[in-house]
Coordinates of all heavy atoms in Angstrom, one line a residue:
P270 N 141.6 63.8 133.7 CA 142.7 64.8 133.8 C 142.8 65.4 135.1 O 143.8 66.1 135.4 CB 142.4 65.8 132.7 CG 141.0 65.7 132.3 CD 140.7 64.2 132.6
D271 N 141.7 65.3 136.0 CA 141.8 65.8 137.3 C 142.5 64.8 138.3 O 142.7 65.2 139.4 CB 140.3 66.0 137.9 CG 139.6 67.1 137.1 OD1 140.2 68.2 136.9 OD2 138.5 66.9 136.7
M272 N 142.8 63.6 137.8 CA 143.4 62.6 138.7 C 144.7 62.1 138.2 O 145.0 62.1 136.9 CB 142.4 61.4 138.8 CG 141.1 61.8 139.4 SD 140.1 60.3 139.7 CE 138.7 61.1 140.5
T273 N 145.6 61.7 139.1 CA 146.8 61.0 138.7 C 146.7 59.5 138.8 O 145.7 59.0 139.3 CB 148.0 61.5 139.6 OG1 147.8 60.9 140.9 CG2 148.0 63.0 139.7
A274 N 147.8 58.9 138.3 CA 147.7 57.4 138.4 C 147.7 56.9 139.9 O 147.1 55.9 140.2 CB 149.0 56.8 137.8
Y275 N 148.2 57.8 140.8 CA 148.2 57.5 142.2 C 146.8 57.7 142.9 O 146.6 57.2 144.0 CB 149.2 58.3 142.9 CG 150.6 58.1 142.3 CD1 151.1 58.9 141.3 CD2 151.4 57.0 142.6 CE1 152.3 58.7 140.6 CE2 152.6 56.8 142.0 CZ 153.0 57.6 141.0 OH 154.3 57.4 140.4
D276 N 145.9 58.3 142.2 CA 144.5 58.4 142.7 C 143.7 57.1 142.4 O 142.6 56.9 143.0 CB 143.8 59.6 142.1 CG 144.4 60.9 142.6 OD1 144.7 61.0 143.8 OD2 144.7 61.7 141.8
I277 N 144.2 56.3 141.4 CA 143.5 55.1 141.1 C 144.2 54.0 142.0 O 145.3 53.5 141.7 CB 143.7 54.7 139.6 CG1 143.3 55.9 138.8 CG2 142.8 53.5 139.2 CD1 141.9 56.4 138.9
Q278 N 143.5 53.6 143.0 CA 144.2 52.8 144.1 C 144.7 51.5 143.6 O 145.8 51.0 144.0 CB 143.2 52.6 145.3 CG 143.0 53.9 146.0 CD 144.3 54.5 146.6 OE1 144.9 53.9 147.4 NE2 144.6 55.7 146.2
I279 N 144.0 50.9 142.7 CA 144.5 49.5 142.2 C 145.8 49.7 141.4 O 146.6 48.8 141.5 CB 143.4 48.8 141.4 CG1 143.7 47.3 141.3 CG2 143.1 49.4 140.1 CD1 142.5 46.5 140.9
V280 N 145.9 50.8 140.7 CA 147.1 51.1 140.0 C 148.2 51.5 140.9 O 149.4 51.1 140.7 CB 146.9 52.2 138.9 CG1 148.1 52.6 138.2 CG2 145.9 51.6 137.8
A281 N 147.9 52.4 141.8 CA 148.9 52.8 142.8 C 149.5 51.6 143.5 O 150.7 51.6 143.8 CB 148.3 53.8 143.8
G282 N 148.7 50.7 143.9 CA 149.2 49.5 144.6 C 150.2 48.7 143.7 O 151.2 48.2 144.2
V283 N 150.0 48.6 142.4 CA 150.9 47.9 141.5 C 152.2 48.7 141.4 O 153.3 48.1 141.5 CB 150.3 47.7 140.1 CG1 151.3 47.0 139.2 CG2 149.0 46.9 140.2
I284 N 152.1 50.0 141.3 CA 153.4 50.8 141.2 C 154.2 50.6 142.4 O 155.4 50.4 142.4 CB 153.0 52.3 141.0 CG1 152.3 52.5 139.6 CG2 154.2 53.1 141.1 CD1 151.8 53.9 139.4
A285 N 153.5 50.6 143.6 CA 154.3 50.5 144.8 C 155.0 49.1 144.9 O 156.1 49.0 145.3 CB 153.3 50.6 146.1
D286 N 154.3 48.1 144.4 CA 154.9 46.7 144.5 C 156.0 46.6 143.5 O 157.0 45.9 143.7 CB 153.8 45.7 144.3 CG 152.9 45.5 145.5 OD1 153.3 46.0 146.6 OD2 151.8 44.9 145.4
V287 N 155.9 47.2 142.3 CA 157.0 47.1 141.3 C 158.2 47.8 141.9 O 159.3 47.3 141.8 CB 156.5 47.8 140.0 CG1 157.7 48.1 139.1 CG2 155.5 47.0 139.3
V288 N 158.0 49.0 142.5 CA 159.2 49.7 143.1 C 159.8 48.9 144.2 O 161.0 48.7 144.4 CB 158.8 51.1 143.6 CG1 159.9 51.8 144.4 CG2 158.4 52.0 142.4
N289 N 158.9 48.3 145.0 CA 159.3 47.5 146.2 C 160.3 46.3 145.7 O 161.3 46.1 146.3 CB 158.1 46.8 146.8 CG 158.4 46.2 148.1 OD1 159.4 45.6 148.3 ND2 157.5 46.2 149.1
V290 N 159.9 45.6 144.7 CA 160.7 44.5 144.2 C 161.8 44.8 143.2 O 162.9 44.2 143.3 CB 159.7 43.4 143.5 CG1 160.5 42.2 143.0 CG2 158.7 43.0 144.6
L291 N 161.6 45.8 142.4 CA 162.5 46.0 141.2 C 163.3 47.3 141.3 O 164.1 47.5 140.4 CB 161.7 45.9 139.9 CG 161.0 44.6 139.6 CD1 160.0 44.7 138.5 CD2 162.1 43.5 139.3
S292 N 163.1 48.1 142.3 CA 163.8 49.4 142.3 C 164.5 49.7 143.6 O 164.5 50.8 144.1 CB 162.9 50.6 141.9 OG 163.6 51.7 141.6
R293 N 164.9 48.7 144.3 CA 165.5 48.8 145.6 C 166.9 49.5 145.5 O 167.6 49.4 144.5 CB 165.7 47.4 146.3 CG 164.4 46.8 146.5 CD 164.5 45.4 147.1 NE 163.2 44.7 147.2 CZ 163.0 43.5 147.7 NH1 164.0 42.8 148.1 NH2 161.8 43.0 147.7
A294 N 167.3 50.2 146.5 CA 168.5 51.0 146.5 C 169.6 50.3 147.1 O 170.6 50.9 147.6 CB 168.2 52.3 147.4
D295 N 169.6 48.9 147.0 CA 170.6 48.1 147.6 C 171.6 47.6 146.5 O 172.4 46.6 146.8 CB 170.0 46.9 148.4 CG 169.1 46.0 147.5 OD1 169.0 46.3 146.3 OD2 168.6 45.1 148.1
G296 N 171.5 48.1 145.3 CA 172.3 47.6 144.2 C 171.7 46.6 143.3 O 172.2 46.3 142.3
T297 N 170.5 46.1 143.7 CA 169.8 45.1 142.9 C 168.7 45.8 142.0 O 168.1 45.1 141.1 CB 169.1 44.1 143.8 OG1 168.0 44.7 144.6 CG2 170.1 43.4 144.7
G298 N 168.4 47.1 142.3 CA 167.3 47.7 141.6 C 167.6 48.3 140.3 O 168.8 48.5 139.9
F299 N 166.5 48.6 139.5 CA 166.6 49.2 138.2 C 165.9 50.6 138.3 O 165.0 50.8 139.1 CB 165.9 48.3 137.2 CG 166.6 47.0 136.9 CD1 166.3 45.9 137.8 CD2 167.5 46.8 135.9 CE1 166.9 44.7 137.5 CE2 168.1 45.6 135.7 CZ 167.8 44.5 136.5
T300 N 166.2 51.4 137.3 CA 165.4 52.6 137.1 C 164.0 52.2 136.6 O 163.9 51.4 135.6 CB 166.1 53.5 136.1 OG1 167.3 54.0 136.6 CG2 165.1 54.7 135.7

Side-chain angles (χ1 to χ4, degrees):
D271 294 313
M272 296 183 179
T273 71
Y275 302 93
D276 294 312
I277 311 299
Q278 290 300 299
I279 197 166
V280 171
V283 181
I284 294 174
D286 287 345
V287 167
V288 173
N289 187 326
V290 175
L291 295 167
S292 191
R293 298 176 185 179
D295 59 1
T297 67
F299 294 85
T300 294

